[in-house]
Structure formats: structure tokens, C-alpha cells
Amino acid sequence: LESIPEDKSVAAPSLFVAHLSNRDEIYALNYHGNEGDVDIVVLDARSKIDTETMNAYLRQGYTILEHHEGLAVILERGNVEE
């Protein structure tokens, strides 16, 4: 989680929110609704990755930035023209 730049908006499971609390924009993943409006999405991989949620973000152009087996998968939003 330390590798996530502080200026990026993040959606993460409640377990990880406290560790990312120094950011301006942090959202609890379970309440975020798979919206493609954050820079980084953190998925809990401690037991089983929520592939439905991961695939929803991948379909929106997110890519896997890091996969830490048994801990977390970090997705990053692709470049989106504004």
C-alpha cells in the first residue's frame, strides 16, 4: 500500500482504509459501487479475490498494477481523456 502515490484517489476495502488515510480522496470499496472515478482500486486477496469486482474494473480500463499474493491486488485506472 505504501507504493500508492499520495496524490491518487483510492477505493479500498475497509480493512485497508486506515492504512491509506493520508490521502485526500479515499473510499470504502463496498460502498463505492464499481465506479470508474478513482485512480487506484485495492482488492483484498487474503482469502479469495473478488473476481466479479475485479473484472468490473478491468472492463472499465483499469489494469493490474501490483498483485501481492495472499494480501492485495492493486488496480490502476488507465489514461482517460477528460
Side-chain angles (χ1 to χ4, degrees):
L1 299 177
E2 291 178 8
S3 67
I4 299 171
E6 291 184 17
D7 64 337
K8 301 289 184 180
S9 58
V10 181
S14 299
L15 172 72
F16 298 122
V17 168
H19 299 287
L20 297 164
S21 63
N22 60 338
R23 278 138 182 91
D24 290 335
E25 286 186 72
I26 179 82
Y27 304 95
L29 187 63
N30 16 340
Y31 299 108
H32 189 249
N34 298 345
E35 297 293 327
D37 60 353
V38 292
D39 300 313
I40 303 289
V41 174
V42 179
L43 301 172
D44 188 350
R46 289 174 303 137
S47 57
K48 181 180 175 188
I49 297 171
D50 181 353
T51 55
E52 184 177 326
T53 299
M54 184 167 72
N55 288 334
Y57 282 105
L58 293 174
R59 285 191 298 274
Q60 294 179 63
Y62 284 78
T63 58
I64 297 173
L65 180 63
E66 297 179 27
H67 182 183
H68 301 279
E69 192 70 37
L71 181 60
V73 175
I74 301 173
L75 306 177
E76 180 177 42
R77 181 171 58 172
N79 292 333
V80 177
E81 291 185 27
E82 311 229 4

Coordinates of all heavy atoms in Angstrom, one line a residue:
L1 N 0.8 -1.2 0.0 CA 0.0 0.0 0.0 C 0.9 1.3 0.0 O 0.4 2.3 -0.5 CB -0.9 0.0 1.2 CG -2.0 -1.2 1.3 CD1 -2.8 -1.1 2.5 CD2 -2.8 -1.2 0.1
E2 N 2.0 1.1 0.5 CA 2.9 2.3 0.6 C 3.4 2.8 -0.8 O 3.8 3.9 -1.0 CB 4.2 2.0 1.4 CG 3.9 1.9 2.9 CD 5.1 1.5 3.7 OE1 6.2 1.5 3.2 OE2 4.9 1.2 4.9
S3 N 3.3 1.9 -1.8 CA 3.7 2.2 -3.1 C 2.7 3.1 -3.9 O 3.0 3.7 -4.9 CB 4.0 1.0 -4.0 OG 2.8 0.2 -4.2
I4 N 1.5 3.2 -3.3 CA 0.4 4.0 -3.9 C 0.7 5.5 -3.7 O 0.8 5.9 -2.5 CB -1.0 3.7 -3.4 CG1 -1.3 2.2 -3.7 CG2 -2.0 4.6 -4.0 CD1 -2.5 1.7 -3.0
P5 N 0.9 6.3 -4.8 CA 1.2 7.7 -4.6 C 0.1 8.4 -3.8 O -1.1 8.1 -3.9 CB 1.2 8.3 -6.0 CG 1.5 7.1 -6.9 CD 0.9 5.9 -6.2
E6 N 0.5 9.3 -2.9 CA -0.4 10.0 -2.0 C -1.4 10.9 -2.7 O -2.4 11.2 -2.2 CB 0.4 10.8 -1.0 CG 1.1 9.9 0.0 CD 1.8 10.7 1.1 OE1 1.5 11.9 1.3 OE2 2.6 10.1 1.8
D7 N -1.1 11.3 -4.0 CA -1.9 12.2 -4.7 C -3.0 11.5 -5.5 O -3.8 12.1 -6.2 CB -1.1 13.2 -5.6 CG -0.4 12.4 -6.7 OD1 -0.1 11.2 -6.5 OD2 -0.1 13.1 -7.7
K8 N -3.1 10.2 -5.4 CA -4.0 9.4 -6.1 C -5.3 9.1 -5.3 O -5.2 8.9 -4.1 CB -3.4 8.0 -6.6 CG -2.2 8.1 -7.4 CD -2.6 8.6 -8.8 CE -1.3 8.6 -9.7 NZ -1.6 9.1 -11.0
S9 N -6.5 9.2 -5.9 CA -7.7 8.8 -5.3 C -7.8 7.3 -5.2 O -7.3 6.6 -6.2 CB -8.9 9.4 -6.0 OG -9.0 9.0 -7.3
V10 N -8.3 6.7 -4.1 CA -8.3 5.3 -3.9 C -9.6 4.8 -3.4 O -10.2 5.4 -2.6 CB -7.2 4.9 -2.9 CG1 -7.1 3.4 -2.6 CG2 -5.8 5.5 -3.3
A11 N -10.0 3.6 -3.9 CA -11.1 2.9 -3.3 C -10.5 1.6 -2.8 O -9.8 0.9 -3.5 CB -12.2 2.6 -4.3
A12 N -10.8 1.2 -1.5 CA -10.2 0.1 -0.9 C -11.1 -0.6 0.1 O -12.0 0.1 0.6 CB -8.9 0.5 -0.2
P13 N -11.0 -1.9 0.4 CA -11.8 -2.5 1.4 C -11.5 -1.8 2.8 O -10.5 -1.2 3.0 CB -11.2 -3.9 1.5 CG -10.5 -4.1 0.2 CD -10.0 -2.8 -0.2
S14 N -12.5 -1.8 3.6 CA -12.5 -1.2 4.9 C -11.2 -1.5 5.7 O -10.6 -0.7 6.4 CB -13.7 -1.6 5.8 OG -14.9 -1.2 5.1
L15 N -10.7 -2.7 5.6 CA -9.5 -3.2 6.3 C -8.3 -2.3 5.9 O -7.4 -2.0 6.7 CB -9.2 -4.6 5.9 CG -7.9 -5.2 6.4 CD1 -7.9 -5.4 7.9 CD2 -7.5 -6.5 5.7
F16 N -8.2 -1.8 4.7 CA -7.1 -1.1 4.2 C -7.3 0.4 4.3 O -6.3 1.2 4.1 CB -6.8 -1.4 2.7 CG -6.4 -2.9 2.5 CD1 -7.1 -3.7 1.7 CD2 -5.3 -3.4 3.2 CE1 -6.8 -5.0 1.5 CE2 -5.0 -4.8 3.0 CZ -5.7 -5.6 2.2
V17 N -8.5 0.9 4.5 CA -8.8 2.3 4.5 C -7.9 3.1 5.5 O -7.3 4.1 5.2 CB -10.3 2.6 4.7 CG1 -10.5 4.1 5.0 CG2 -11.1 2.2 3.5
A18 N -7.7 2.6 6.7 CA -6.9 3.3 7.7 C -5.5 3.4 7.3 O -4.8 4.4 7.6 CB -7.0 2.5 9.1
H19 N -5.0 2.4 6.6 CA -3.6 2.5 6.1 C -3.4 3.5 5.0 O -2.3 3.9 4.7 CB -3.1 1.1 5.6 CG -3.2 0.1 6.7 ND1 -2.2 0.0 7.7 CD2 -4.0 -1.0 6.9 CE1 -2.5 -1.0 8.6 NE2 -3.6 -1.6 8.1
L20 N -4.5 3.9 4.4 CA -4.4 4.8 3.2 C -5.0 6.2 3.6 O -5.2 7.0 2.8 CB -5.2 4.2 2.1 CG -4.7 2.9 1.5 CD1 -5.7 2.3 0.6 CD2 -3.4 3.2 0.7
S21 N -5.2 6.4 4.9 CA -6.0 7.6 5.3 C -5.3 8.9 5.1 O -5.9 10.0 5.3 CB -6.3 7.5 6.8 OG -5.1 7.4 7.6
N22 N -4.0 8.9 4.7 CA -3.3 10.2 4.5 C -3.6 10.8 3.1 O -3.0 11.8 2.7 CB -1.8 10.0 4.7 CG -1.2 9.0 3.7 OD1 -1.9 8.1 3.2 ND2 0.1 9.1 3.5
R23 N -4.6 10.2 2.4 CA -4.9 10.7 1.1 C -6.1 11.6 1.2 O -6.9 11.6 2.1 CB -5.3 9.5 0.1 CG -4.0 8.9 -0.4 CD -4.1 7.4 -0.5 NE -2.9 6.9 -1.0 CZ -1.9 6.6 -0.2 NH1 -1.9 6.7 1.1 NH2 -0.8 6.1 -0.8
D24 N -6.2 12.5 0.2 CA -7.4 13.5 0.1 C -8.7 12.7 -0.2 O -9.7 13.1 0.3 CB -7.1 14.6 -0.9 CG -6.1 15.6 -0.4 OD1 -5.9 15.7 0.8 OD2 -5.5 16.2 -1.2
E25 N -8.6 11.7 -1.1 CA -9.7 11.0 -1.6 C -9.6 9.5 -1.3 O -8.7 8.9 -2.0 CB -10.0 11.2 -3.1 CG -10.5 12.6 -3.4 CD -10.9 12.6 -4.9 OE1 -11.9 12.0 -5.3 OE2 -10.1 13.3 -5.6
I26 N -10.3 9.0 -0.4 CA -10.3 7.5 -0.1 C -11.7 7.1 0.1 O -12.5 7.8 0.8 CB -9.4 7.2 1.1 CG1 -9.4 5.7 1.5 CG2 -9.8 8.0 2.4 CD1 -8.5 4.9 0.6
Y27 N -12.1 6.0 -0.5 CA -13.5 5.5 -0.5 C -13.5 4.1 0.0 O -12.6 3.3 -0.4 CB -14.1 5.6 -1.9 CG -14.1 7.0 -2.4 CD1 -13.1 7.4 -3.3 CD2 -15.1 7.9 -2.1 CE1 -13.0 8.7 -3.8 CE2 -15.0 9.2 -2.6 CZ -14.0 9.6 -3.4 OH -14.0 10.9 -3.9
A28 N -14.5 3.7 0.7 CA -14.7 2.3 1.1 C -15.2 1.5 -0.1 O -16.2 1.9 -0.7 CB -15.6 2.2 2.3
L29 N -14.5 0.5 -0.5 CA -14.8 -0.2 -1.7 C -16.2 -0.8 -1.7 O -16.9 -0.7 -2.8 CB -13.8 -1.3 -2.0 CG -13.9 -2.1 -3.3 CD1 -13.6 -1.1 -4.4 CD2 -12.9 -3.2 -3.3
N30 N -16.7 -1.3 -0.6 CA -18.0 -1.9 -0.6 C -19.1 -0.9 -0.8 O -20.2 -1.2 -1.1 CB -18.3 -2.7 0.7 CG -17.4 -2.4 1.8 OD1 -16.3 -2.0 1.7 ND2 -17.8 -2.8 3.0
Y31 N -18.8 0.4 -0.6 CA -19.8 1.5 -0.9 C -19.6 2.3 -2.1 O -20.3 3.1 -2.5 CB -19.9 2.5 0.3 CG -20.2 1.8 1.6 CD1 -19.3 1.6 2.6 CD2 -21.5 1.3 1.8 CE1 -19.6 0.9 3.8 CE2 -21.9 0.6 3.0 CZ -20.9 0.5 4.0 OH -21.2 -0.2 5.1
H32 N -18.5 1.9 -2.8 CA -18.1 2.7 -4.0 C -18.9 2.3 -5.2 O -19.1 3.2 -6.1 CB -16.6 2.5 -4.3 CG -16.1 3.4 -5.3 ND1 -15.7 2.9 -6.5 CD2 -16.0 4.7 -5.3 CE1 -15.3 4.0 -7.2 NE2 -15.4 5.1 -6.5
G33 N -19.4 1.1 -5.4 CA -20.2 0.7 -6.5 C -19.5 0.5 -7.8 O -20.1 0.7 -8.9
N34 N -18.3 0.1 -7.8 CA -17.5 -0.2 -9.0 C -17.5 1.0 -10.0 O -17.4 0.8 -11.2 CB -18.1 -1.4 -9.7 CG -17.9 -2.6 -8.9 OD1 -17.2 -2.7 -7.9 ND2 -18.7 -3.7 -9.2
E35 N -17.5 2.2 -9.5 CA -17.5 3.4 -10.3 C -16.0 3.6 -10.8 O -15.1 3.3 -10.1 CB -17.9 4.7 -9.6 CG -19.3 4.6 -9.1 CD -20.3 4.7 -10.2 OE1 -20.0 5.3 -11.3 OE2 -21.4 4.1 -10.1
G36 N -15.9 4.0 -12.0 CA -14.5 4.2 -12.6 C -14.0 5.6 -12.4 O -13.4 6.1 -13.3
D37 N -14.2 6.1 -11.2 CA -13.9 7.5 -11.0 C -12.7 7.7 -10.0 O -12.5 8.8 -9.5 CB -15.1 8.3 -10.5 CG -15.7 7.8 -9.2 OD1 -15.2 6.7 -8.7 OD2 -16.6 8.4 -8.7
V38 N -12.0 6.6 -9.7 CA -10.8 6.7 -8.8 C -9.6 6.3 -9.5 O -9.7 5.5 -10.5 CB -11.0 5.9 -7.5 CG1 -12.1 6.5 -6.6 CG2 -11.3 4.4 -7.8
D39 N -8.5 6.7 -9.1 CA -7.2 6.4 -9.8 C -6.7 5.0 -9.5 O -6.2 4.3 -10.3 CB -6.1 7.4 -9.3 CG -6.4 8.8 -9.7 OD1 -6.8 9.1 -10.8 OD2 -6.3 9.7 -8.8
I40 N -7.0 4.6 -8.2 CA -6.5 3.3 -7.7 C -7.6 2.5 -7.0 O -8.3 3.1 -6.3 CB -5.3 3.5 -6.7 CG1 -4.1 4.3 -7.3 CG2 -4.8 2.1 -6.2 CD1 -3.3 3.5 -8.4
V41 N -7.6 1.2 -7.3 CA -8.6 0.3 -6.6 C -7.7 -0.8 -5.9 O -6.9 -1.4 -6.6 CB -9.6 -0.3 -7.5 CG1 -10.5 -1.3 -6.8 CG2 -10.4 0.8 -8.2
V42 N -8.0 -1.0 -4.6 CA -7.3 -2.1 -3.9 C -8.3 -3.2 -3.6 O -9.4 -2.9 -3.1 CB -6.7 -1.5 -2.6 CG1 -6.0 -2.7 -1.8 CG2 -5.7 -0.4 -2.9
L43 N -8.0 -4.4 -4.0 CA -8.8 -5.5 -3.7 C -8.2 -6.4 -2.7 O -6.9 -6.7 -2.7 CB -9.1 -6.3 -5.0 CG -9.7 -5.6 -6.1 CD1 -9.8 -6.4 -7.4 CD2 -11.1 -5.1 -5.7
D44 N -8.9 -6.9 -1.8 CA -8.4 -7.8 -0.7 C -8.2 -9.2 -1.3 O -9.1 -9.8 -1.9 CB -9.5 -7.9 0.4 CG -9.0 -8.7 1.6 OD1 -7.9 -9.3 1.6 OD2 -9.7 -8.6 2.6
A45 N -7.0 -9.7 -1.2 CA -6.6 -11.0 -1.7 C -6.2 -12.0 -0.6 O -5.5 -13.0 -0.9 CB -5.5 -10.9 -2.8
R46 N -6.6 -11.7 0.6 CA -6.2 -12.6 1.7 C -6.8 -13.9 1.7 O -6.2 -14.9 2.0 CB -6.5 -11.9 3.1 CG -5.6 -10.7 3.4 CD -6.0 -10.0 4.6 NE -7.4 -9.6 4.5 CZ -8.3 -9.7 5.5 NH1 -8.0 -10.1 6.6 NH2 -9.5 -9.3 5.3
S47 N -8.0 -14.0 1.3 CA -8.6 -15.4 1.2 C -8.9 -15.7 -0.3 O -8.4 -16.6 -0.8 CB -9.9 -15.5 2.0 OG -10.8 -14.5 1.7
K48 N -9.8 -14.9 -0.9 CA -10.1 -15.2 -2.3 C -10.4 -13.8 -2.9 O -11.2 -13.0 -2.4 CB -11.4 -16.0 -2.4 CG -11.8 -16.4 -3.8 CD -13.1 -17.3 -3.8 CE -13.5 -17.5 -5.2 NZ -14.8 -18.1 -5.2
I49 N -9.8 -13.6 -4.1 CA -10.0 -12.3 -4.8 C -11.5 -12.3 -5.3 O -12.0 -13.2 -5.9 CB -9.1 -12.1 -5.9 CG1 -7.6 -12.1 -5.4 CG2 -9.4 -10.9 -6.7 CD1 -6.6 -12.2 -6.5
D50 N -12.1 -11.1 -5.1 CA -13.5 -10.9 -5.7 C -13.3 -10.7 -7.2 O -13.2 -9.5 -7.6 CB -14.1 -9.7 -5.0 CG -15.5 -9.5 -5.4 OD1 -16.0 -10.1 -6.4 OD2 -16.2 -8.6 -4.8
T51 N -13.4 -11.8 -7.9 CA -13.2 -11.6 -9.4 C -14.3 -10.8 -10.1 O -14.0 -10.2 -11.1 CB -13.0 -13.0 -10.0 OG1 -14.2 -13.8 -9.7 CG2 -11.8 -13.7 -9.6
E52 N -15.5 -10.9 -9.5 CA -16.6 -10.1 -10.1 C -16.2 -8.6 -10.1 O -16.4 -7.9 -11.0 CB -17.9 -10.4 -9.4 CG -19.1 -9.7 -10.1 CD -20.4 -10.1 -9.4 OE1 -20.5 -11.3 -8.9 OE2 -21.2 -9.3 -9.3
T53 N -15.8 -8.2 -8.9 CA -15.5 -6.8 -8.7 C -14.2 -6.4 -9.6 O -14.2 -5.4 -10.3 CB -15.2 -6.4 -7.3 OG1 -16.4 -6.7 -6.5 CG2 -14.8 -5.0 -7.1
M54 N -13.2 -7.3 -9.5 CA -12.0 -7.0 -10.3 C -12.3 -6.9 -11.8 O -11.9 -6.0 -12.5 CB -11.0 -8.1 -10.1 CG -9.7 -7.8 -10.8 SD -8.3 -8.8 -10.3 CE -8.7 -10.4 -11.0
N55 N -13.1 -7.8 -12.3 CA -13.5 -7.8 -13.7 C -14.3 -6.6 -14.1 O -14.1 -6.0 -15.2 CB -14.2 -9.1 -14.1 CG -13.3 -10.3 -14.2 OD1 -12.1 -10.1 -14.4 ND2 -13.9 -11.5 -14.0
A56 N -15.1 -6.1 -13.2 CA -15.9 -4.9 -13.4 C -15.0 -3.7 -13.7 O -15.2 -2.9 -14.5 CB -16.9 -4.6 -12.3
Y57 N -13.9 -3.6 -12.8 CA -13.0 -2.5 -13.0 C -12.1 -2.7 -14.3 O -11.8 -1.8 -15.0 CB -12.1 -2.4 -11.8 CG -12.8 -1.6 -10.7 CD1 -13.3 -2.3 -9.5 CD2 -13.0 -0.3 -10.7 CE1 -13.9 -1.7 -8.5 CE2 -13.6 0.4 -9.7 CZ -14.1 -0.3 -8.6 OH -14.7 0.4 -7.6
L58 N -11.7 -4.0 -14.5 CA -10.9 -4.2 -15.7 C -11.6 -3.9 -17.0 O -11.0 -3.3 -17.9 CB -10.4 -5.7 -15.7 CG -9.5 -6.1 -14.6 CD1 -9.2 -7.6 -14.7 CD2 -8.2 -5.4 -14.7
R59 N -12.9 -4.1 -17.0 CA -13.7 -3.7 -18.2 C -13.8 -2.2 -18.4 O -14.1 -1.8 -19.5 CB -15.2 -4.3 -18.1 CG -15.3 -5.8 -18.3 CD -16.7 -6.3 -18.5 NE -17.5 -6.1 -17.3 CZ -17.5 -6.9 -16.2 NH1 -16.9 -8.1 -16.3 NH2 -18.3 -6.7 -15.2
Q60 N -13.6 -1.5 -17.3 CA -13.6 0.0 -17.4 C -12.2 0.6 -17.8 O -12.1 1.8 -17.7 CB -14.1 0.6 -16.1 CG -15.5 0.2 -15.7 CD -15.9 0.8 -14.4 OE1 -15.9 2.0 -14.3 NE2 -16.2 0.0 -13.4
G61 N -11.3 -0.3 -18.0 CA -10.0 0.2 -18.4 C -8.9 0.2 -17.4 O -7.8 0.6 -17.6
Y62 N -9.2 -0.3 -16.2 CA -8.2 -0.5 -15.2 C -7.3 -1.6 -15.5 O -7.7 -2.5 -16.2 CB -8.9 -0.7 -13.8 CG -9.5 0.5 -13.2 CD1 -10.7 0.9 -13.6 CD2 -8.9 1.2 -12.1 CE1 -11.3 2.0 -13.0 CE2 -9.5 2.3 -11.5 CZ -10.7 2.7 -12.0 OH -11.3 3.8 -11.4
T63 N -6.0 -1.5 -15.1 CA -5.1 -2.6 -15.3 C -4.5 -3.0 -13.9 O -4.5 -2.2 -13.0 CB -3.9 -2.1 -16.2 OG1 -3.3 -1.0 -15.6 CG2 -4.4 -1.8 -17.6
I64 N -3.9 -4.2 -13.9 CA -3.3 -4.7 -12.6 C -2.0 -4.0 -12.5 O -1.1 -4.2 -13.3 CB -3.2 -6.2 -12.6 CG1 -4.6 -6.8 -12.6 CG2 -2.4 -6.7 -11.4 CD1 -4.6 -8.3 -12.8
L65 N -1.8 -3.2 -11.5 CA -0.6 -2.5 -11.2 C 0.4 -3.4 -10.4 O 1.5 -3.6 -10.7 CB -0.8 -1.2 -10.4 CG 0.4 -0.4 -10.0 CD1 1.1 0.1 -11.3 CD2 -0.1 0.8 -9.2
E66 N -0.2 -4.0 -9.3 CA 0.6 -5.0 -8.5 C -0.4 -6.1 -8.0 O -1.5 -5.8 -7.8 CB 1.1 -4.2 -7.2 CG 2.1 -3.1 -7.6 CD 2.6 -2.4 -6.3 OE1 2.6 -3.0 -5.2 OE2 3.0 -1.2 -6.4
H67 N 0.2 -7.3 -7.8 CA -0.5 -8.4 -7.2 C 0.3 -9.0 -6.2 O 1.4 -9.6 -6.5 CB -0.9 -9.4 -8.3 CG -1.7 -10.6 -7.8 ND1 -2.1 -11.6 -8.5 CD2 -2.2 -10.8 -6.5 CE1 -2.8 -12.5 -7.8 NE2 -2.8 -12.0 -6.6
H68 N -0.1 -8.8 -4.9 CA 0.7 -9.4 -3.8 C -0.1 -10.6 -3.3 O -1.2 -10.4 -2.6 CB 0.8 -8.3 -2.7 CG 1.5 -7.1 -3.2 ND1 2.9 -7.0 -3.2 CD2 1.1 -5.9 -3.6 CE1 3.3 -5.9 -3.7 NE2 2.2 -5.1 -3.9
E69 N 0.3 -11.7 -3.7 CA -0.3 -13.0 -3.4 C -0.7 -13.1 -1.9 O 0.2 -12.8 -1.0 CB 0.6 -14.2 -3.8 CG -0.1 -15.5 -3.8 CD -1.1 -15.6 -4.9 OE1 -0.9 -15.2 -6.0 OE2 -2.2 -16.3 -4.7
G70 N -1.9 -13.4 -1.6 CA -2.4 -13.5 -0.2 C -2.6 -12.2 0.5 O -2.8 -12.3 1.7
L71 N -2.5 -11.1 -0.2 CA -2.6 -9.8 0.5 C -3.6 -8.9 -0.3 O -4.7 -8.6 0.2 CB -1.3 -9.1 0.7 CG -1.3 -7.8 1.5 CD1 -1.9 -8.0 2.9 CD2 0.1 -7.2 1.5
A72 N -3.1 -8.4 -1.4 CA -3.9 -7.4 -2.2 C -3.6 -7.4 -3.6 O -2.5 -7.8 -4.0 CB -3.7 -6.1 -1.6
V73 N -4.6 -7.0 -4.4 CA -4.4 -6.7 -5.8 C -4.7 -5.2 -6.0 O -5.7 -4.7 -5.5 CB -5.3 -7.5 -6.7 CG1 -5.2 -7.1 -8.2 CG2 -5.1 -9.0 -6.6
I74 N -3.7 -4.5 -6.6 CA -3.9 -3.1 -6.8 C -4.1 -2.8 -8.3 O -3.3 -3.2 -9.1 CB -2.6 -2.3 -6.3 CG1 -2.4 -2.6 -4.8 CG2 -2.7 -0.8 -6.6 CD1 -1.1 -2.1 -4.2
L75 N -5.2 -2.2 -8.6 CA -5.6 -1.8 -10.0 C -5.4 -0.3 -10.2 O -5.6 0.5 -9.3 CB -7.0 -2.1 -10.2 CG -7.5 -3.6 -9.9 CD1 -9.0 -3.7 -10.2 CD2 -6.7 -4.6 -10.8
E76 N -5.0 0.1 -11.4 CA -4.8 1.5 -11.7 C -5.7 1.8 -12.9 O -5.7 1.1 -13.9 CB -3.3 1.7 -12.0 CG -3.0 3.2 -12.4 CD -1.5 3.4 -12.6 OE1 -0.9 2.6 -13.2 OE2 -1.0 4.4 -12.1
R77 N -6.3 3.0 -12.8 CA -7.1 3.5 -13.9 C -6.2 3.8 -15.1 O -5.2 4.5 -14.9 CB -8.0 4.6 -13.5 CG -8.9 5.2 -14.6 CD -9.8 6.2 -14.1 NE -9.2 7.3 -13.5 CZ -9.8 8.4 -13.1 NH1 -11.1 8.5 -13.2 NH2 -9.1 9.4 -12.5
G78 N -6.6 3.4 -16.3 CA -5.9 3.8 -17.5 C -6.1 5.3 -17.8 O -6.9 5.9 -17.2
N79 N -5.3 5.8 -18.7 CA -5.4 7.2 -19.1 C -6.8 7.4 -19.7 O -7.2 6.7 -20.7 CB -4.3 7.6 -20.1 CG -3.0 7.6 -19.4 OD1 -2.9 7.8 -18.2 ND2 -1.9 7.4 -20.2
V80 N -7.5 8.3 -19.2 CA -8.9 8.7 -19.6 C -8.8 10.1 -20.1 O -8.4 11.0 -19.3 CB -9.9 8.5 -18.5 CG1 -11.3 8.9 -19.0 CG2 -9.9 7.0 -18.0
E81 N -9.3 10.4 -21.3 CA -9.3 11.8 -21.8 C -10.5 12.5 -21.1 O -11.6 11.9 -21.0 CB -9.5 11.8 -23.3 CG -8.3 11.3 -24.0 CD -8.4 11.5 -25.5 OE1 -9.2 12.4 -26.0 OE2 -7.8 10.7 -26.2
E82 N -10.2 13.7 -20.6 CA -11.2 14.4 -19.9 C -11.8 15.5 -20.8 O -11.3 16.0 -21.7 CB -10.6 15.1 -18.7 CG -9.8 14.0 -17.9 CD -10.1 14.0 -16.4 OE1 -11.0 14.8 -16.0 OE2 -9.5 13.3 -15.7

